[in-house]
Amino acid sequence: MSSSSPNNLLPTGQPRIDHLEMRGIVKRFPGVLAADHIDFDVRAGEVHALLGENGAGKSTLMKILYGLYSPNEGEILLNGQPVSIHSPSDAIALGIGMIHQHFMLVPSLTVAENVALGLKSSRGLLLDLDVVSERIVQLSKIYGLHVEPDMPVWQLAVGERQRVEILKALYRGAALLILDEPTAVLTPQEVEEFFATLNQMVEDGHALIFISHKLHEVLAISHRITVLRDGKLVGSVPTREATKQSLARMMVGREVLMEYKVREAEIGKPLLRIEGLRAQSDRGTEALRGVSLEVRSGEILGLAGVSGNGQRELAEAIFGLRPVTGGKVFIEEQDVTGKPPSVLNRLGMSYIPEERMVDGVIRDFTVAENLILQTHADPPLARNVFLNRRAIARRCAELIKNFDIRTPNQETPIKSLSGGNIQKLVLARELARTPRVLIAAQPTRGVDIGATEYIHQRLLDQRTAGTATLLISEDLDEILALADRIAVIYEGQIVGIVDREDADVERLGLMMAGVQGEAAAS
């Protein structure tokens, strides 16, 4: 994997970073030791993957490398020489670039304008977008990053926008790239193209740091893997010696169930039926364009799709949180279109929202207060207009135990809990009502691998109990592991529904990219 370029230069003309080393990095925040004497390094011509649960220290370490944080202790060496990185400008000057999970692009500007943004023009006060465009074309040819320099970013597909982010970094002379969850919004086909680009960059001598929670991708693209846990270095292993199971064990500190034996469940009649549903986005455009689905008792129907194709609007329209402009929603034979959540709760529907901190909990309330948000006025939690504190304490203690919510006590503010424990609290509250219909929107987004395993088991328990579950997820592995049938949504329409036995990543990826179900199957 050595570079074919002479004089230790990349094909872009910039010098390579042969070896970058972080030694004994320590970062303290008030009450938290986020990085505890961590060693990490990356070499030219390799992909070094960085793994760990939420809060393990991955982001802290990379923000130090990119100049967003300053370490309390430790040093960074570039090609054997100590360097100081106090800002992203320092990092970029040293040849270090970062591709963020959420793209840092201005939609109304063209590709060339986004690449040139913040840089000095070669013509002083005059724009040099023609020079920028020419350089973009050169870089595109070298790395197969095909985009039109004069195309407005808002007209680009998600995969193309990511290419622009990479071109921005390469244009600024990045020899080392930090890739933070770079495949989170890509279809399987776009992931393949993206990995081909990364492999080309590695062959040409770039050093790449790859952060992801998708273990199969880490195993597919990396050469070495380093795992962090609780701010400490657990270990580094060559990828050829690693497995999903061994990596999960390093991340969590125990064995983790990676595959689920789906228990037999009796598939019954449709409990949730959606007919021609239409709704608008927050920007006033049509987000749902005639969605029709049905979910049966004892079934998990997975809804797959790239982010932003109407998933959030569908969940909110079903649960009465977004106005419906057309179509109907039924629980069994009862028309519940536009009914408020309180009515839907009484009719047996529960909802795990996509944004748990916005729609799932009240940040300044305690654990107990959040657990009884929807039932505080019901006996035995209330006597007439008064709360029954003892009954509330008993109910909350039971839920905390049954759903393994790690909290100091019931009176702890919810904002003090980890993301995984907040999600388990939402799950506990919604499942405690033994729902007939469950809408689970991105139930494991941003959740540790251990909590993900627990949530998956609970969803399968609901299936066995006869609940009709609509599982909305952008994680194709999650849907393939749990769903009985899989529907794919693209630009607010269902483009196909397949049984799990007939589903594969390639077929679903084509459908997620807008290819109709019939064409994808051929």
Side-chain angles (χ1 to χ4, degrees):
M1 293 180 298
S2 61
S3 172
S4 58
S5 301
N7 302 322
N8 207 33
L9 296 179
L10 297 167
T12 54
Q14 281 87 12
R16 295 196 314 178
I17 291 178
D18 288 313
H19 188 208
L20 182 134
E21 190 176 3
M22 305 179 78
R23 290 182 184 169
I25 299 296
V26 175
K27 181 61 182 177
R28 298 183 184 91
F29 296 103
V32 178
L33 182 57
D36 186 2
H37 296 90
I38 296 174
D39 296 332
F40 181 82
D41 76 304
V42 62
R43 296 181 181 275
E46 78 164 344
V47 179
H48 193 159
L50 189 59
L51 278 179
E53 296 187 284
N54 297 326
K58 307 185 303 296
S59 294
T60 298
L61 193 65
M62 290 302 100
K63 285 178 179 177
I64 288 170
L65 180 56
Y66 196 57
L68 294 169
Y69 291 159
S70 295
N72 298 109
E73 298 177 33
E75 61 178 348
I76 300 173
L77 291 91
L78 190 66
N79 296 333
Q81 299 299 313
V83 294
S84 296
I85 305 175
H86 300 294
S87 68
S89 297
D90 291 343
I92 291 167
L94 292 169
I96 300 168
M98 188 167 186
I99 309 299
H100 298 271
Q101 180 177 353
H102 303 290
F103 302 151
M104 305 292 182
L105 300 173
V106 180
S108 59
L109 299 183
T110 66
V111 170
E113 288 167 342
N114 269 280
V115 170
L117 199 61
L119 298 178
K120 290 183 179 179
S121 170
S122 61
R123 297 185 183 131
L125 297 177
L126 299 176
L127 288 176
D128 62 348
L129 291 179
D130 56 333
V131 176
V132 175
S133 296
E134 186 177 340
R135 181 63 171 156
I136 289 172
V137 171
Q138 291 173 351
L139 292 170
S140 297
K141 288 179 179 177
I142 293 172
Y143 295 107
L145 297 165
H146 303 297
V147 290
E148 295 293 332
D150 58 352
M151 183 73 74
V153 163
W154 69 266
Q155 293 183 2
L156 300 180
V158 174
E160 292 173 314
R161 294 185 191 193
Q162 188 175 63
R163 293 176 204 165
V164 178
E165 285 282 18
I166 296 173
L167 286 167
K168 269 177 60 179
L170 294 174
Y171 189 93
R172 285 160 170 75
L176 184 156
L177 269 183
I178 304 164
L179 302 152
D180 185 8
E181 298 283 358
T183 64
V185 294
L186 303 183
T187 68
Q189 283 77 13
E190 288 172 329
V191 170
E192 284 186 23
E193 294 174 7
F194 177 61
F195 280 5
T197 297
L198 297 189
N199 284 325
Q200 180 63 55
M201 294 176 71
V202 164
E203 287 293 327
D204 288 335
H206 282 84
L208 304 179
I209 301 172
F210 186 84
I211 303 172
S212 177
H213 71 281
K214 298 178 181 179
L215 297 183
H216 69 281
E217 291 183 357
V218 166
L219 290 168
I221 194 64
S222 68
H223 301 87
R224 280 192 295 156
I225 303 169
T226 289
V227 179
L228 305 181
R229 186 169 73 237
D230 298 329
K232 295 184 176 67
L233 175 67
V234 176
S236 297
V237 294
T239 302
R240 63 179 179 275
E241 297 176 8
T243 64
K244 284 185 182 181
Q245 287 74 19
S246 68
L247 294 175
R249 187 166 56 246
M250 291 174 71
M251 290 168 65
V252 181
R254 61 173 176 81
E255 294 293 336
V256 177
L257 186 64
M258 303 301 294
E259 295 182 4
Y260 305 99
K261 183 179 179 182
V262 180
R263 290 157 285 185
E264 289 298 321
E266 185 177 339
I267 306 296
K269 63 183 180 179
L271 295 184
L272 173 66
R273 199 168 82 252
I274 304 159
E275 294 182 355
L277 200 63
R278 293 181 177 273
Q280 291 188 329
S281 71
D282 293 339
R283 293 180 294 178
T285 58
E286 193 170 34
L288 300 178
R289 300 187 292 155
V291 172
S292 296
L293 290 170
E294 66 175 29
V295 191
R296 298 168 292 185
S297 169
E299 174 186 53
I300 296 177
L301 175 67
L303 185 70
V306 175
S307 177
N309 277 280
Q311 297 96 315
R312 180 168 67 90
E313 290 85 356
L314 178 61
E316 291 176 354
I318 293 171
F319 199 61
L321 297 172
R322 181 174 295 270
V324 171
T325 57
K328 298 286 185 182
V329 178
F330 297 89
I331 294 180
E332 291 192 61
E333 297 304 317
Q334 185 168 351
D335 185 348
V336 296
T337 311
K339 299 289 185 186
S342 57
V343 172
L344 295 171
N345 283 159
R346 288 198 296 272
L347 292 173
M349 182 184 288
S350 285
Y351 174 50
I352 300 170
E354 178 177 334
E355 299 287 347
R356 56 178 171 265
M357 295 308 293
V358 176
D359 303 317
V361 296
I362 298 176
R363 293 174 58 91
D364 294 323
F365 277 21
T366 66
V367 168
E369 288 167 338
N370 274 286
L371 280 170
I372 64 166
L373 273 180
Q374 296 148 318
T375 54
H376 64 276
D378 301 335
L381 304 185
R383 294 173 178 162
N384 298 319
V385 295
F386 299 102
L387 293 175
N388 184 341
R389 297 291 179 182
R390 287 186 179 179
I392 290 171
R394 284 195 300 270
R395 171 71 62 83
C396 292
E398 181 182 331
L399 291 176
I400 289 168
K401 178 182 177 182
N402 291 347
F403 286 82
D404 191 31
I405 301 168
R406 310 286 175 88
T407 177
N409 56 62
Q410 296 182 17
E411 300 309 310
T412 299
I414 194 74
K415 61 187 176 186
S416 301
L417 270 57
S418 69
N421 282 300
I422 294 171
Q423 192 72 342
K424 285 196 278 188
L425 180 146
V426 174
L427 202 71
R429 186 184 66 218
E430 297 304 316
L431 300 188
R433 293 197 301 271
T434 59
R436 291 190 297 159
V437 175
L438 174 64
I439 312 298
Q442 318 295 347
T444 60
R445 172 183 282 170
V447 168
D448 300 340
I449 192 169
T452 293
E453 174 196 29
Y454 182 86
I455 291 167
H456 285 174
Q457 290 289 0
R458 284 291 184 170
L459 293 177
L460 291 172
D461 289 343
Q462 289 300 127
R463 175 182 178 272
T464 303
T467 302
T469 301
L470 176 61
L471 170 63
I472 302 172
S473 178
E474 292 158 22
D475 187 338
L476 210 45
D477 290 338
E478 180 169 69
I479 283 182
L480 286 167
L482 300 178
D484 299 287
R485 291 185 300 138
I486 301 168
V488 178
I489 190 169
Y490 176 75
E491 292 187 350
Q493 293 181 306
I494 302 299
V495 294
I497 301 176
V498 294
D499 291 332
R500 181 178 51 199
E501 293 78 12
D502 301 325
D504 59 61
V505 171
E506 182 179 2
R507 179 182 182 185
L508 292 174
L510 288 170
M511 294 164 70
M512 289 164 66
V515 179
Q516 294 298 315
E518 294 77 7
S522 60

